[in-house]
Each structure stands twice: as C-alpha cells, then as structure tokens.
Amino acid sequence: MTKQLLADLEWRGLISQTTDRDALTKDLESAPLTFYVGFDPTAPSLHIGNLAVICTMRRFQLAGHKPIPLVGGSTGLVGDPSGRNEERSLNDESVVVDWVNRIKKQLEQFLSFEGSNAAVMANNLDWTAPISALTFLRDIGKHFSVNQMLSKDSVSARLEGGGISYTEFSYQVLQALDYLELYKLHNCKLQMGGSDQWGNIVAGLDLIRKVESGSAHALTIPLITKSDGTKFGKTAGGSVWLDPEMTSPYAFFQFWIGADDADVEKLLKVFSFKSHEEIETLLVSLKENPGAREAHRALAREVTSLVHGAHNAQQSESAAKALFGQGDLSELDEATLQSALSQLPRTQIKKSDSIPTWVDLLCATGVVDSKSAARRIVKEGGAYLNNAKIAGEDFAPTVEDAFYGRFLVLRKGKRDLAAVELI
RNA sequence: GGCUGGUUGCCCGAGCGGCCAAUGGGAGCGGACUGUAAAUCCGCCGGCAACGCCUUCGAAGGUUCAAAUCCUUCACCAGCCA
C-alpha cells in the first residue's frame, strides 16, 4: 500500500503540485514519514471544503505515515491572504480560541491517535506566542526577502487589487515558521494543503533549508471544482459544515445524494476509501443505470458515516427512503416516522392550540424566510402536506391529518421537507 | 492636502424629480420533463393583518404637492493633481 500511495493519489486526481517527486516517493516508501496539514480557525466548524485534504491525511496515515493536524491558533488571529482579494476582518481572540477547540475536536475523529504512527495534534500558538517581536524580526525575519514575499501569488494579487496590510503580508512567515518548528520538533518532512497553499508551504521549505540546512517536501491537492463551474460545497443555505449542529446529518447526506452526475466520479475518487475496483463498478452503474443512483447513494453513505458516524448515516438514509417519493407515509410505523422526522427542520405546536395554516407552519420550521415566500410556494403549486398537494393559501391542517395524532409532514417543492409535531 | 467620479435589492448593474418596490443579467425558488441529476422551457423573486398598506436605493438633514433622482454636511471607495 505504502508503495502505491502517490500513484493512488494520482489516480484520484489529488495531486496538484509536489516538490521533487522522486525524492518524495523514495522517502514515502523507505520509512514512515511525519507530515502536517494546517487548518486555520476561520469559522466555528470545518466544512466540506476542508474534507478533501482531511481524507488525504487519512490516506497517508492508513499507508503508515504519521500525521500532525495543526490548528492555527496564531495564524487564525492574523488571517491568510491566499485566495482572497480583500483584507479579512480580524476575529476576536476569545472567539478564535473557541474555534480552535472546536476544530481540534473535529479533526480528531478522522485520524488515529494510537499506534506507532499515532497522530499528534498541534497548535502553532504554542511556539508563536512566546516569541518577542524583536526575536521574530531578527531570527526569523532575517531569512525572508521582501522581494520574494512580494512575488507570491497571494500577495501580488492583492497589491494589484485592494492592497494588503502588514499583518496579512506577514502570514507566510508565520506559516513557514510552523513548518520549521515541526521539522525540528517532530522531524516533520512533508506539508500538505490546498493548492492555494503552495506559496506558504514553499516559504517553509526555504526557511528549513536556510536555518537547518534541511530538506523537506511539499504536496498540494487541487481545489475541488464542480463541472458546472459553481463553487463546490455551497448550497442555498451556505456552506456544508461538518458540525451536525450547523448542517444536520440528514442535510449532509442529502448534499451528496443531490450531487451532479458529472461530479460523482471525482467525488468518489476524492472522498471514498473504497478500492479502485469498487469505485469503477459504481461508475459503471452510474453510466448504465443512472436512475438507480447507486453511486450517489454509496457516496453519501460513506462520507456521512465518516463524518457523522454509521448510525447517523443510517438514520439519514432511512429518513430519506421513508420520506421520499414512493410515498405512502401512512404505511410507516410510528417509530420509523418519528426518527425520520427527527432529521428534518421542525417545529412544535401544542395540541390544545388550534393548528395554524400551512403557510404559518412552514414559516415556523424555518424552511422559508417569510410568509410571503411560503404563500408564493402555495400559489406556485409547490406546497404539500403529507405528500399531497394542498389547495389554497388559507389551508390549515387538522388533527385528523396528523399521523399517530402527532406528526405532520410539510414539503416545499420536490425535496424540501419539514416536520410539525403536535405536543 | 486639492480636483473629479462613485456608493442602488443576495451579487453585478441600469435608473438621474412623478408612470419606481425600482430595467437587465447572475444566483436562488416553484412548475413541466426526468432519476431527490444535468440541460431546456414557463413562472416567481422586499415585507405585511395583501387589489391596500409599510420599509428600502452609503448616513444624517433640507428643498418640493412629490426625491434613488435636486441641495447641504458626513463616511467610505476609485481616478487625477500635489
């Protein structure tokens, strides 16, 4: 397995750039290699944009190498200019600390912290915070040429655009310092990241060469793109987060189920840990019997399990199966219905109160932003109660409509479901 | 510091005193087709107690029967000059 690691990545389309490929291959094949990937806390949760590189880390660990997931406790305070045409607004320190902890926890579930190649969690604040400004300028800054720093894509793009603050300009130095520290501390010899990180990673290699006369590697993976050119990982509701509070396992599962056919091959290769043969089989099915959606299902099942656990994946899948299409909700037993509905956006109303109109109910579940929007749905013929189209704006369900006297299933359009529970 | 141009709905971008909740495009949403896909076509796309009412066109004031449109001040952005 170790031997074919890079070949496997290549097959999966996961290699964008590397430093000396032969040297890297040799190091990977001769012994377990310690490598690191950094994640800056720019939000309270990682999102599926981060998942590709997380999966790649996992592949390396499965192949016997030792991962260091690094959370950017310090770099998160500064802000990476890469890929941005505007200065970031600085986040409050306490907020960043909170985010660091959350992200640490998320990263932990993807890697093994046991065994000979146990992962080691790192936080760059540990070595950055103690450095004084003067030490930083004399010991670290001295190794950087401003000319070179200016030529980095992330910086030059900003010079032509809205400009860049000294703070963000310094980002690459901090990241370079991280690589140097991990090189010294853990003999870390490979840094991976998204393709936009190439410049920052290379800055680290230079620093290692200058300070330690050492050599290390860089590997970047391509940005995941969609075939239609829109951004991967965004839905109407915004980003698809890994935190189940921010994106429910059900919504997460649905995200993969709803993937464009044209993207499924790429997604399977990037996110699935199945063998090449299994993936090929799924792709054949996709081509020959697209309506069955086997590849979509396998993808959704696997990635949801990876992120939210097998149980939640199972729940999401049966919820989808129960609620979608084939349709007679009344055939579901109470327990199945209840667990399916628990995955959906929902609202509760008291049995003693009279039941509001469909419009008000939908609004209460948060599926639409305003009553006008809900009314519009009704007018356009996209409003359903228990899978049956409803008549007019004034329509209000009755207690008799509720399954087992407690559940109403609202649907907006083809696939946007919500639940109402009478309590 | 001086001059000039700009700031419009989720984004881009028209409008330059009434016919403006504001043209057009994108995104998004609903419908038809299909497979919880794509493409295509049709429709919608500020809010509400809804044939009416309310709140929007950087901010605050002002002129007017009437302002996104005119005037004043302020803030920010861009270009030119110093």
Side-chain angles (χ1 to χ4, degrees):
Chain A
M1 179 71 202
T2 297
K3 273 200 161 37
Q4 298 110 26
L5 181 57
L6 288 184
D8 177 56
L9 294 184
E10 186 83 63
W11 179 79
R12 292 175 187 276
L14 278 168
I15 300 180
S16 171
Q17 290 188 84
T18 67
T19 45
D20 186 347
R21 184 73 170 267
D22 295 335
L24 177 59
T25 309
K26 217 176 122 205
D27 276 358
L28 284 169
E29 289 181 0
S30 58
L33 189 73
T34 302
F35 66 98
Y36 105 87
V37 178
F39 300 87
D40 273 359
T42 54
S45 167
L46 296 165
H47 50 85
I48 58 174
N50 302 116
L51 200 55
V53 72
I54 291 173
C55 285
T56 308
M57 284 186 95
R58 194 173 150 88
R59 291 180 204 287
F60 271 75
Q61 186 172 36
L62 290 172
H65 302 292
K66 185 181 174 71
I68 304 180
L70 176 146
V71 182
S74 62
T75 36
L77 290 168
V78 167
D80 186 357
S82 303
R84 299 201 127 226
N85 41 24
E86 269 179 12
E87 187 83 8
R88 289 172 189 268
S89 53
L90 290 175
N91 290 311
D92 214 61
E93 249 183 277
S94 60
V95 170
V96 173
V97 168
D98 179 44
W99 291 355
V100 163
N101 291 328
R102 285 161 175 268
I103 286 169
K104 260 188 189 168
K105 211 172 254 169
Q106 288 187 331
L107 286 169
E108 282 167 3
Q109 62 181 306
F110 297 101
L111 300 166
S112 164
F113 288 77
E114 288 165 4
S116 61
N117 62 333
V120 177
M121 186 65 69
N123 181 347
N124 55 19
L125 194 63
D126 293 346
W127 52 82
T128 314
I131 300 180
S132 76
L134 281 176
T135 310
F136 179 77
L137 290 173
R138 287 178 64 95
D139 293 358
I140 313 296
K142 200 65 180 171
H143 298 292
F144 285 82
S145 136
V146 169
N147 309 34
Q148 261 184 39
M149 290 172 73
L150 287 172
S151 71
K152 303 265 192 227
D153 283 354
S154 56
V155 174
S156 67
R158 286 276 290 274
L159 289 177
E160 283 162 30
I164 185 168
S165 68
Y166 183 67
T167 310
E168 286 195 12
F169 177 61
S170 314
Y171 185 91
Q172 52 178 298
V173 179
L174 284 179
Q175 188 167 333
L177 178 60
D178 291 344
Y179 200 175
L180 175 64
E181 282 298 321
L182 293 174
Y183 177 86
K184 291 200 287 196
L185 232 61
H186 297 288
N187 193 30
C188 173
K189 285 194 159 179
L190 170 64
Q191 180 180 177
M192 302 196 292
S195 51
D196 59 340
Q197 291 298 307
W198 182 255
N200 292 336
I201 298 176
V202 167
L205 294 178
D206 285 339
L207 187 62
I208 289 173
R209 189 175 320 111
K210 285 174 184 162
V211 176
E212 295 284 304
S213 309
S215 86
H217 306 284
L219 185 157
T220 57
I221 71 170
L223 189 70
I224 309 296
T225 53
K226 294 212 301 180
S227 58
D228 63 4
T230 57
K231 204 168 175 189
F232 170 74
K234 297 280 182 192
T235 64
S239 294
V240 177
W241 302 99
L242 302 192
D243 184 335
E245 299 293 316
M246 296 167 73
T247 299
S248 74
Y250 173 80
F252 188 86
F253 185 88
Q254 288 296 319
F255 170 79
W256 300 97
I257 286 288
D260 190 330
D261 284 13
D263 292 323
V264 170
E265 174 170 358
K266 183 189 286 181
L267 296 178
L268 275 170
K269 285 180 170 174
V270 172
F271 297 104
S272 169
F273 288 82
K274 293 185 194 308
S275 69
H276 295 194
E277 294 71 36
E278 288 174 288
I279 290 175
E280 295 293 1
T281 305
L282 288 170
L283 293 177
V284 168
S285 157
L286 175 69
K287 191 178 272 174
E288 293 180 349
N289 188 10
R293 309 175 66 74
E294 278 177 33
H296 289 80
R297 254 180 265 283
L299 175 68
R301 200 179 291 145
E302 187 178 357
V303 184
T304 309
S305 295
L306 180 67
V307 175
H308 296 297
H311 177 71
N312 280 318
Q314 172 61 43
Q315 290 285 304
S316 304
E317 187 168 5
S318 20
K321 199 181 279 173
L323 299 169
F324 264 102
Q326 45 274 91
D328 200 349
L329 293 170
S330 62
E331 283 175 12
L332 298 173
D333 66 68
E334 188 168 0
T336 307
L337 185 65
Q338 175 160 26
S339 76
L341 296 184
S342 71
Q343 304 287 321
L344 303 175
R346 55 222 283 250
T347 185
Q348 299 183 320
I349 52 171
K350 288 208 184 72
K351 272 182 176 159
S352 50
D353 297 345
S354 60
I355 302 181
T357 60
W358 188 93
V359 166
D360 287 330
L361 288 170
L362 188 72
C363 221
T365 64
V367 168
V368 291
D369 302 325
S370 69
K371 279 191 192 178
S372 296
R375 285 213 170 86
R376 223 173 277 136
I377 301 297
V378 178
K379 208 184 303 163
E380 294 170 338
Y384 300 81
L385 174 73
N386 302 337
N387 275 354
K389 188 176 282 197
I390 67 154
E393 286 187 12
D394 301 327
F395 175 83
T398 63
V399 185
E400 285 74 57
D401 292 319
F403 296 115
Y404 304 103
R406 33 195 297 235
F407 300 118
L408 295 168
V409 182
L410 309 182
R411 194 170 107 217
K412 157 184 166 284
K414 268 187 182 172
R415 63 200 111 135
D416 233 350
L417 292 154
V420 178
E421 187 180 357
L422 307 180
I423 53 170

